[in-house]
Amino acid sequence: MFSMAEAEILPFSTLTPSDHPLHPYSNWTPGCAPPPPIGRLALLTPERVERAAREEIRTGKRISLDIPISTNSPEEMLGRKRVERHVVRIDGGPSTSEESQTLGQVYQPVHDDVLTVNTQGTTQWDGFYHFSYPGSGLFYGGATTADVFAGNINDGMLAWANAGGIVGRAVLIDYARYAEQKGIHYDACLDSHAIPLSAIKEIAASKGVEFRVGDILVVRTGFDTRFNELVAQNLSHRVSGHYAGVEQGKETLRWLWETGFAAVAGDQPAFERWPSPSPQDTMHPILLSGWGLPIGELLALEEVAAELAKRDRATFFLCAVPLKSAKAGLWTIELAYECLEAYAKSLKVDSSDPKDALREAARQTNALARELGLVLAAIDAFEGYEGLVDRTRHAALVEDFKFWVELCGIMGIEIIQIPATFDPKATLDESLVVPDLRELCDLGLAASPPVQIAYEPMGWSTFTKTWEEANKLIKAVDRRNIGLCLDVFHTASLLWGSPETKDGKRPGGDQAYKDSLDRLRKIPASDILLFQISDGAFLSPPMPESAFTEPEIDNLFAWSKHGRPYPGEGYFPVNEFCEAVFATGFKGVTTMEVFDDEGFDRREAVPAERAARTVKSWVGISEKCGLAPFYPPTPAGVNKLGTCTVNLGHYELYTLEEKLFAAAATGHKAIDLYEDDLLYYLSLQPGANMSNLWEANPVHLHAVKKIGDLIASLGMELICFQPLIDVEGLVIPAEREAAIQRCKAYFPYMRQLRTTVTYITTNRRYDFENITGDIEVIAKDLAYFANLAAEYAKADGGPMIKIGYEHLAWGSFINTFDKTWEAIELANRPNLGFVFDTFNFLGKEFANPYNPAGHGRIHDTIEESTTYVRQRLAKLAKLIPGDKIYVCQVADANLADPKSLPVPTPATEKWTPQHEPPFFAWSSGHRLFPNEPTGYMPVAECLAAILATGYKGAFTNEIFNTSYFEKGDDVVASHAKRSFAGVASCVEDAKAMKPWW
């Protein structure tokens, strides 16, 4: 709607109207430039902060505005839990010095403080995704609750922290003192008392305050003083959601906006009078979701109020920096069936069949997983099946398994974990056990996509206790969809550790464990289907004295139920087992399966705490086993960095999977999938239709899904699948129809790949009698393709599919960004956007490879060329909104010897298949990763302009040169590293540039 820089001078009337059905009084409009992630904090310019520091810091006295986190919380009265503190021991060593002597280990306890915090339960700042508009449920910038949970938001809190926090001149309106002087009586904790705007202005005037743009308004009601009194009287339970606060109303909103406050705050839980007279009057959705104005709550203001009163002042220097937070960083999920059952019981389903509730739970679980970028890889555990003497029970379990397969189809899960039976009544008779397992395998193979069985030996299984015994049985079953499920705990507890000895070890266990792992290293990786990692808790006293003992079950089973902590938290030789598994070349599904009594803790923060412990364990395993480093998720609101698969090596020389593994190992978080890579991968799949790889048959869709799942499981996002070449501006009807069918063929694959973006490149054909440059015709074509995408999304109920449009430097008619944008605007479709490639921009506006100096496309001197580029980029920054840029590709170029390039075919010459477009050979053979020594183009300037648009998407690169034909073990890895280093450094260079647009 307008920039934040203009917000300080724009009148209240420029906001959306009060009767807007979705977001009244907002400073943003969907489809326009997105609002800044820091909201009104953008008003805290360096000049304003410097002035505030210079004028307000006089005595050097510091006063904390936080209430103690250990105190009773007012929000606890409203059902929000108070902050909890736990001291945990993390060294994993002996429990006592006496035990250390027994084990021969050093006794050195190391403790961590673990705080469980609901940020609303103590002094805090409300973020922009805390309180939505009533009715529409929209948050800041038009975000939905699905966007919030999926992480598809500009994370305001993180942006605040990265910007340096909330720092500037605060103006204290001490209404509590004013009311006392005026004889105004109210209970700040119990009365919904309204503080009128007139009183706020009167208090400020009495202190000689003239409000300035960028001020932080702080209102003291006396809530903190009164609440402490109630606590002392054991009456805090009377606090029930009625507080004194700023009076709502249009004039209050007008004043808050036009005064130009950067933030507001108070000493009570809402800043405004609470409850509000009506949902429509509530200021929270307008201030937070409408304006991006932070609201501080539960500030401890007694001391600062007393200090200011003593000095007859109302202003002070305030500094508050919120926590930096991001997702834990886990992407692959093994789903426990009992968790799905519990979720199903919580749902209201209009059916008497309990299976319908499970089906709905499966649908919702799958939808949530996809929104969060998670892969549901396996479901466990189908227990007590094989070798049953009771064949009636066997038949019932077969029917249960059929339903599990159905649920797998709903959730996209392809692995069912089956533990070797521990039913004492089962038989080892292979003439029964093998057919039993084979029966389930055949049911799995009949599904589409096929379901695999991960067969797990356990130390307390009736017969199949070791991985060797399980593997022998698997070979006898002789089906391609069954393999080993290996679990560290089961092998280590059976051969190495013991719950029954004082030292926690078995006699001869070191050698037995080593020998087993030596044999394991030699099996094919294809024998392993699922790898589960956990540790073992040291029991002191050992069983049977241990509290973990359950007399009715095997000691190993009881130990497993209560004492399987996260790797690194126990004493098992976990890393040795991991090293042996990975030495086979295994790159399949790897999860952590942990069981301990802490999992029954009902605190809200338990899932987050355990996710963090899981990440910590993964980091430790990665470091100790020499695996790829663990890269945390890119924080919301920060541009992801990535690469195009074409950059990493030619598709006939290197598999798509190894390219993706290399990209993830280097730290890439975004993948741009090139069509050639996917099609060649498809051609290698058994059963692929080689005559039509675009056929959306089950074999193709399953293979494509595996790539989509692999990308997600590696913690990366597939930002686009491309390119659609030469599909717009076609004159011959048959060619146009073929282009339409090709575009349609993309959509089913995009769904399986989990991406919503593809793009069209401007037509580069030079048979001008068969194509048109008429912008109206091209725009209609683009609109048609966008309509096809929208119709597909509507039909399948999935997210909107977006079509990008990219100009090529050698495009036949459209080869500039502004002409490209003109076509996009003429098409006027919400799912049609712009794709920017630095090479194609600079190849048209700056570079001339036929000039030995490399530049000179428009001007002769480098100074003129650079100035012209900046002028053009300034136009781009103002012309194209950041949210309409779908992809940004970053590439430089080698300075080519003009003599090495083919001579372009003159434009006047009739087109032939041997036609050589200008710049095409240069583009296809001389592109370079950014910021490499032989590059020469002003790439960072391009990114600076793109960032200036408000673009929050990924930066990737698309490189074409002879290096991806190189052969060698390190080609893919080295290209992945060069790609990441180049784009990362170029983005940093762009961010460091002073604005020139």
Side-chain angles (χ1 to χ4, degrees):
M1 195 170 186
F2 47 80
S3 71
M4 184 57 69
E6 297 168 330
E8 59 192 271
I9 57 174
L10 286 176
F12 188 64
S13 60
T14 58
L15 302 177
T16 55
S18 60
D19 60 352
H20 194 287
L22 301 178
H23 45 90
Y25 297 124
S26 74
N27 70 339
W28 50 264
T29 299
C32 296
I38 60 174
R40 297 284 281 185
L41 293 181
L43 297 173
L44 293 174
T45 62
E47 294 77 15
R48 288 174 181 143
V49 175
E50 186 276 330
R51 179 182 177 184
R54 174 166 33 87
E55 295 178 356
E56 301 301 330
I57 300 177
R58 305 180 193 176
T59 67
K61 183 169 184 177
R62 295 166 295 163
I63 298 174
S64 172
L65 303 183
D66 293 324
I67 62 174
I69 62 172
S70 59
T71 193
N72 292 321
S73 167
E75 295 287 18
E76 189 178 351
M77 308 304 126
L78 303 180
R80 287 165 170 153
K81 293 186 178 181
R82 72 175 67 177
V83 176
E84 298 178 2
R85 175 178 180 249
H86 301 275
V87 179
V88 296
R89 186 172 165 191
I90 65 166
D91 56 285
S95 301
T96 64
S97 57
E98 292 78 11
E99 185 181 299
S100 70
Q101 295 174 2
T102 302
L103 296 177
Q105 299 176 4
V106 176
Y107 176 60
Q108 186 180 22
V110 179
H111 297 144
D112 279 358
D113 273 344
V114 177
L115 298 178
T116 304
V117 182
N118 179 337
T119 55
Q120 290 288 320
T122 185
T123 303
Q124 41 81 31
W125 292 89
D126 281 351
F128 302 155
Y129 307 100
H130 170 57
F131 216 102
S132 70
Y133 275 103
S136 69
L138 294 178
F139 293 92
Y140 187 54
T144 65
T145 190
D147 293 325
V148 172
F149 280 99
N152 299 326
I153 56 173
N154 294 322
D155 191 341
M157 284 290 179
L158 184 65
W160 301 359
N162 288 336
I166 304 171
V167 180
R169 186 179 87 147
V171 179
L172 178 70
I173 302 299
D174 194 346
Y175 182 77
R177 193 177 302 272
Y178 167 88
E180 184 179 0
Q181 293 169 350
K182 296 285 186 178
I184 301 171
H185 301 289
Y186 65 95
D187 191 314
C189 286
L190 305 178
D191 296 340
S192 183
H193 175 78
I195 301 173
L197 178 60
S198 58
I200 294 174
K201 291 181 177 180
E202 182 182 339
I203 294 168
S206 71
K207 297 296 182 181
V209 172
E210 293 184 5
F211 289 104
R212 303 195 300 238
V213 171
D215 277 346
I216 302 161
L217 178 65
V218 181
V219 179
R220 178 174 177 255
T221 67
F223 180 94
D224 52 348
T225 306
R226 177 63 175 140
F227 183 76
N228 289 334
E229 292 173 356
L230 292 173
V231 171
Q233 299 166 14
N234 292 321
L235 296 175
S236 61
H237 61 276
R238 295 177 57 194
V239 178
S240 59
H242 289 72
Y243 321 124
V246 176
E247 185 176 27
Q248 294 88 356
K250 184 174 181 179
E251 288 311 307
T252 300
L253 290 172
R254 180 191 302 276
W255 180 74
L256 290 173
W257 173 262
E258 293 187 342
T259 304
F261 290 113
V264 297
D267 58 354
Q268 51 96 299
F271 173 73
E272 59 182 307
R273 167 183 47 173
W274 205 261
S276 174
S278 72
Q280 289 70 34
D281 291 324
T282 306
M283 289 196 289
H284 265 60
I286 296 169
L287 303 188
L288 297 171
S289 294
W291 302 353
L293 181 73
I295 302 175
E297 297 169 346
L298 293 176
L299 275 67
L301 297 178
E302 282 187 274
E303 186 179 356
V304 72
E307 183 70 21
L308 290 173
K310 183 171 67 176
R311 301 180 184 278
D312 195 28
R313 289 174 55 188
T315 59
F316 62 100
F317 190 77
L318 183 146
C319 180
V321 181
L323 293 172
K324 289 189 176 184
S325 62
K327 295 179 184 176
L330 303 172
W331 297 282
T332 303
I333 301 297
E334 179 182 337
L335 178 65
Y337 185 79
E338 56 263 34
C339 293
L340 189 69
E341 283 185 311
Y343 183 43
K345 291 175 183 177
S346 72
L347 299 177
K348 294 182 179 180
V349 178
D350 187 18
S351 173
S352 58
D353 185 352
K355 287 185 176 181
D356 285 337
L358 281 161
R359 291 183 180 103
E360 181 58 26
R363 280 188 284 270
Q364 293 191 23
T365 300
N366 181 53
L368 181 59
R370 291 182 74 90
E371 284 181 7
L372 296 174
L374 303 174
V375 176
L376 298 175
I379 186 168
D380 67 50
F382 192 78
E383 296 179 339
Y385 166 71
E386 77 278 18
L388 284 174
V389 177
D390 182 350
R391 302 312 286 176
T392 302
R393 172 62 180 154
H394 167 85
L397 284 173
V398 169
E399 293 304 310
D400 288 347
F401 186 81
K402 291 177 182 177
F403 183 59
W404 278 51
V405 170
E406 179 188 343
L407 294 176
C408 285
I410 294 172
M411 294 184 285
I413 292 175
E414 297 185 25
I415 297 176
I416 295 177
Q417 186 238 37
I418 298 182
T421 185
F422 49 95
D423 185 342
K425 297 179 181 179
T427 178
L428 180 59
D429 185 350
E430 286 197 11
S431 66
L432 193 62
V433 172
V434 170
D436 282 354
L437 291 173
R438 192 175 288 156
E439 183 176 12
L440 296 193
C441 288
D442 290 342
L443 289 172
L445 286 171
S448 181
V451 172
Q452 303 177 89
I453 292 172
Y455 189 61
E456 178 185 39
M458 302 187 298
W460 62 91
S461 294
T462 307
F463 304 109
T464 310
K465 300 178 183 293
T466 69
W467 68 262
E468 290 101 329
E469 292 167 346
N471 210 25
K472 180 182 177 183
L473 194 57
I474 288 168
K475 300 300 183 187
V477 172
D478 191 26
R479 289 293 186 272
R480 60 183 173 84
N481 63 326
I482 186 170
L484 281 169
C485 171
L486 294 175
D487 189 306
V488 177
F489 182 88
H490 297 317
T491 297
S493 63
L494 182 69
L495 301 179
W496 184 87
S498 171
E500 301 164 355
T501 59
K502 288 185 177 181
D503 66 356
K505 295 178 66 175
R506 296 182 183 275
D510 288 337
Q511 190 62 47
Y513 191 62
K514 179 181 180 301
D515 291 346
S516 178
L517 297 187
D518 286 344
R519 294 190 295 271
L520 180 60
R521 288 184 183 89
K522 298 174 182 177
I523 70 172
S526 57
D527 283 1
I528 308 169
L529 196 55
L530 177 63
F531 179 33
Q532 298 172 326
I533 309 177
S534 60
D535 210 326
F538 183 84
L539 304 187
S540 180
M543 292 179 174
E545 290 80 14
S546 170
F548 290 169
T549 304
E550 295 186 31
E552 66 278 10
I553 62 174
D554 188 283
N555 280 346
L556 288 184
F557 190 7
W559 194 15
S560 172
K561 287 175 61 178
H562 302 284
R564 285 174 68 174
Y566 291 94
E569 295 183 2
Y571 78 108
F572 277 10
V574 176
N575 295 323
E576 290 84 345
F577 196 100
C578 293
E579 184 277 326
V581 171
F582 297 137
T584 67
F586 176 73
K587 292 184 178 180
V589 177
T590 304
T591 65
M592 288 187 184
E593 189 177 59
V594 171
F595 297 99
D596 58 35
D597 294 345
E598 290 180 17
F600 294 96
D601 190 330
R602 300 185 68 86
R603 289 180 299 111
E604 292 179 2
V606 166
E609 290 174 0
R610 293 175 78 83
R613 288 166 66 188
T614 305
V615 170
K616 183 178 179 180
S617 293
W618 278 123
V619 171
I621 290 170
S622 297
E623 292 175 348
K624 292 174 182 175
C625 293
L627 305 177
F630 178 86
Y631 295 100
T634 302
V638 177
N639 303 94
K640 292 182 179 181
L641 306 182
T643 191
C644 181
T645 53
V646 74
N647 305 334
L648 306 183
H650 195 268
Y651 57 84
E652 292 181 336
L653 300 177
Y654 306 101
T655 68
L656 179 54
E657 295 96 327
E658 66 183 308
K659 292 184 184 184
L660 296 173
F661 280 120
T666 307
H668 291 282
K669 290 298 178 183
I671 290 294
D672 177 344
L673 179 57
Y674 202 68
E675 177 186 293
D676 290 352
D677 283 298
L678 186 71
L679 292 181
Y680 190 74
Y681 158 81
L682 272 181
S683 73
L684 302 177
Q685 305 307 307
N689 181 1
M690 298 301 295
S691 63
N692 183 11
L693 291 172
W694 288 108
E695 182 183 49
N697 63 43
V699 171
H700 292 173
L701 292 175
H702 178 223
V704 173
K705 177 184 179 293
K706 289 173 70 175
I707 293 299
D709 286 353
L710 177 60
I711 292 170
S713 71
L714 292 171
M716 301 186 294
E717 176 190 2
L718 183 55
I719 61 162
C720 70
F721 172 46
Q722 54 92 4
L724 287 163
I725 299 173
D726 297 340
V727 297
E728 89 308 8
L730 301 177
V731 174
I732 300 174
E735 290 189 344
R736 188 171 187 275
E737 180 59 28
I740 290 170
Q741 295 306 318
R742 179 147 176 261
C743 182
K744 286 182 175 180
Y746 259 59
F747 302 151
Y749 286 1
M750 290 173 68
R751 283 293 189 243
Q752 299 301 317
L753 289 168
R754 300 176 172 224
T755 189
T756 58
V757 177
T758 186
Y759 66 78
I760 296 167
T761 59
T762 58
N763 203 306
R764 76 241 163 112
R765 287 169 55 170
Y766 281 75
D767 51 336
F768 295 118
E769 66 274 17
N770 296 322
I771 60 173
T772 180
D774 186 329
I775 193 74
E776 297 281 350
V777 173
I778 291 172
K780 287 180 180 178
D781 284 349
L782 295 176
Y784 186 82
F785 289 125
N787 288 344
L788 288 177
E791 289 165 6
Y792 187 91
K794 182 179 180 180
D796 81 345
M800 177 59 72
I801 293 177
K802 299 178 181 180
I803 305 289
Y805 192 42
E806 176 194 23
H807 71 280
L808 300 177
W810 62 94
S812 308
F813 292 110
I814 297 182
N815 48 35
T816 64
F817 73 84
D818 33 14
K819 200 69 175 176
T820 304
W821 181 246
E822 180 184 352
I824 292 169
E825 286 199 303
L826 280 173
N828 191 25
R829 292 296 184 272
N831 62 326
L832 181 67
F834 179 69
V835 173
F836 183 77
D837 186 307
T838 60
F839 181 92
N840 284 316
F841 170 82
L842 294 169
K844 178 64 179 176
E845 313 283 354
F846 173 82
N848 181 3
Y850 307 104
N851 175 3
H855 64 88
R857 182 74 183 263
I858 308 295
H859 295 286
D860 292 334
T861 68
I862 187 65
E863 292 78 15
E864 290 176 305
S865 294
T866 303
T867 299
Y868 178 76
V869 162
R870 288 196 166 196
Q871 290 171 347
R872 294 286 287 156
L873 289 171
K875 179 181 179 180
L876 184 153
K878 295 175 182 177
L879 183 67
I880 305 177
D883 63 345
K884 291 295 282 185
I885 302 175
Y886 291 167
V887 180
C888 182
Q889 296 173 327
V890 190
D892 202 338
N894 279 312
L895 191 62
D897 179 0
K899 296 178 182 179
S900 68
L901 299 174
V903 177
T905 305
T908 55
E909 190 172 307
K910 183 175 175 58
W911 184 87
T912 69
Q914 289 72 44
H915 185 94
E916 180 63 41
F919 309 102
F920 176 71
W922 181 54
S923 170
S924 60
H926 293 271
R927 293 201 196 192
L928 190 67
F929 294 112
N931 277 12
E932 294 202 330
T934 56
Y936 75 97
M937 297 201 296
V939 178
E941 278 85 347
C942 297
L943 301 195
I946 293 296
L947 288 168
T949 69
Y951 175 68
K952 294 300 178 185
F955 288 108
T956 69
N957 39 38
E958 187 179 65
I959 309 300
F960 299 101
N961 60 40
T962 57
S963 69
Y964 64 59
F965 289 100
E966 294 175 356
K967 297 179 181 179
D969 294 339
D970 65 341
V971 169
V972 175
S974 66
H975 278 65
K977 292 173 183 176
R978 289 170 60 192
S979 173
F980 186 83
V983 73
S985 61
C986 200
V987 170
E988 289 305 310
D989 290 346
K991 290 179 178 179
M993 286 185 174
K994 293 183 179 180
W996 40 262
W997 44 88

